[in-house]
Amino acid sequence: YKQYISSKGNYPMLVVISDLHLVQADQGFNGSLEFNKNLEPGAYQRFVNRLVREAHGNQAAHLDLVLAGDIFEMFKSPIWFEDDQRPYVHLDTIEPHSSMENKILRLLDNIAEEVHVGETLEIFRSLHERFDIPVRLHYLVGNHDRIVNATPATRRKVRLMLGMEDDDSYIPHTHTYAPDGQSIAFIRHGHEYDHDNFALNLAGAPRIPREFPRKVYDAPPLGDFLALEFGNKLLHLFAQTYGPYAIKHNENLRNLYVRLAHFDDVRPLSAMLHYLICLLYTSPSPRDRTRS
């Protein structure tokens, strides 16, 4: 950046964030078991306020904000347990106007309707009003929002939700930041380095390519299945077994529900088994089950 820093008012500003995981909070039980893992909009507002101050203080010529994947959480929703349709399919099997496309569009609507998410998306849509310099917003797809690339309609919808231009073209997985034609940074979500969350196992590869064919990114990795059928489904089955009333009014059940809501957030992944064993040792007593 030296050539830009030495010329105040004529250098770019690059900001990269990822893994917002904007998610549907209502698990489908009339809201009584709602567990909202979305950050409050105030957190994003403070983030933007800081960017405004830094852009002004550094006399930046323009700002590029890259949303580098997993912006939307497309697996944690009861919508996938309504029938036998699942999101871990190759994207080339999802046709426009199909029931799967409609489900993806409906899930995006459900996420946007969450009180925290709606205000957060409005903050992103109004970025241009906050800065006195040009602002370019870039959106890359990660592994948890892979399926928003399914059809022109899903791609167009997600861009409009973020306040981007009306465009239904394929959403990229990488971004090369090249102000004034000079490549400065290469940005990707990074699931390419995790064989559980990428369709290719590159553990033995001498190097990771900059680009992969679209058909590789569109293929479902093992992580899609695990996130839905192991992580999210445990919470769903627990709620079905005990019922929302019992969980809401029994402290032990309520604590277990909260722990299950965090189950697929456990890191490292090797700690998941220990976390699950702890859940089993603190499982509800037969009396609790009878009361439900």
Side-chain angles (χ1 to χ4, degrees):
Y1 286 155
K2 288 183 179 179
Q3 64 177 342
Y4 296 109
I5 294 175
S6 63
S7 177
K8 279 197 170 184
N10 191 32
Y11 63 91
M13 180 174 176
L14 170 65
V15 178
V16 182
I17 60 174
S18 69
D19 295 271
L20 305 187
H21 289 273
L22 302 175
V23 64
Q24 179 181 351
D26 182 5
Q27 289 298 310
F29 297 98
N30 301 319
S32 60
L33 296 184
E34 182 173 311
F35 188 81
N36 200 337
K37 299 171 72 174
N38 296 298
L39 285 178
E40 294 186 4
Y44 296 101
Q45 191 62 65
R46 290 189 293 272
F47 169 70
V48 173
N49 291 342
R50 178 180 176 182
L51 294 186
V52 171
R53 291 194 302 269
E54 292 194 4
H56 179 75
N58 293 325
Q59 300 181 39
H62 56 80
L63 167 67
D64 284 79
L65 176 58
V66 181
L67 305 179
D70 284 7
I71 304 305
F72 298 94
E73 174 54 68
M74 299 299 290
F75 292 106
K76 299 177 185 177
S77 169
I79 200 171
W80 299 117
F81 303 118
E82 295 174 349
D83 49 40
D84 59 356
Q85 279 191 326
R86 295 293 188 266
Y88 41 83
V89 296
H90 200 290
L91 296 189
D92 64 8
T93 67
I94 303 176
E95 298 289 339
H97 311 296
S98 64
S99 59
M100 178 64 88
E101 180 194 67
N102 290 335
K103 184 168 286 192
I104 296 171
L105 294 172
R106 183 157 57 96
L107 176 52
L108 287 170
D109 282 333
N110 291 347
I111 294 173
E113 288 170 1
E114 295 294 343
V115 58
H116 291 346
V117 176
E119 295 181 37
T120 297
L121 291 175
E122 184 57 37
I123 290 172
F124 284 109
R125 287 193 292 266
S126 62
L127 280 177
H128 296 277
E129 303 171 9
R130 298 293 311 279
F131 294 84
D132 56 3
I133 57 174
V135 178
R136 293 189 288 257
L137 185 66
H138 310 269
Y139 172 46
L140 309 181
V141 171
N143 51 304
H144 276 249
D145 49 5
R146 177 183 67 90
I147 60 171
V148 303
N149 245 336
T151 67
T154 59
R155 297 191 289 264
R156 178 175 183 269
K157 184 178 187 66
V158 78
R159 282 190 172 101
L160 293 178
M161 288 171 66
L162 292 167
M164 302 175 70
E165 61 183 14
D166 189 345
D167 181 9
D168 63 7
S169 63
Y170 192 72
I171 301 171
H173 295 85
T174 65
H175 177 69
T176 299
Y177 184 59
D180 300 329
Q182 178 182 351
S183 297
I184 292 178
F186 178 72
I187 305 160
R188 62 173 25 142
H189 177 65
H191 55 297
E192 296 89 346
Y193 308 105
D194 181 357
H195 62 84
D196 287 335
N197 287 308
F198 194 56
L200 291 179
N201 187 345
L202 301 169
R207 59 185 296 272
I208 305 297
R210 287 171 59 93
E211 302 293 341
F212 291 91
R214 173 174 168 173
K215 64 179 181 180
V216 174
Y217 279 112
D218 288 355
L222 175 63
D224 284 15
F225 175 84
L226 293 177
L228 184 66
E229 301 292 357
F230 194 48
N232 193 28
K233 198 168 187 177
L234 283 176
L235 184 68
H236 181 77
L237 292 176
F238 184 84
Q240 278 193 328
T241 300
Y242 292 99
Y245 182 86
I247 296 173
K248 185 176 181 180
H249 294 90
N250 182 288
E251 183 178 3
N252 289 334
L253 292 174
R254 190 167 60 251
N255 288 340
L256 277 171
Y257 181 80
V258 171
R259 287 177 63 82
L260 281 172
H262 285 291
F263 175 68
D264 60 343
D265 297 324
V266 174
R267 294 295 183 275
L269 294 179
S270 58
M272 277 188 162
L273 180 59
H274 179 74
Y275 188 87
L276 183 60
I277 291 173
C278 289
L279 286 177
L280 294 174
Y281 274 106
T282 56
S283 60
S285 65
R287 180 185 300 177
D288 291 331
R289 181 183 289 271
T290 302
R291 286 178 179 175
S292 69

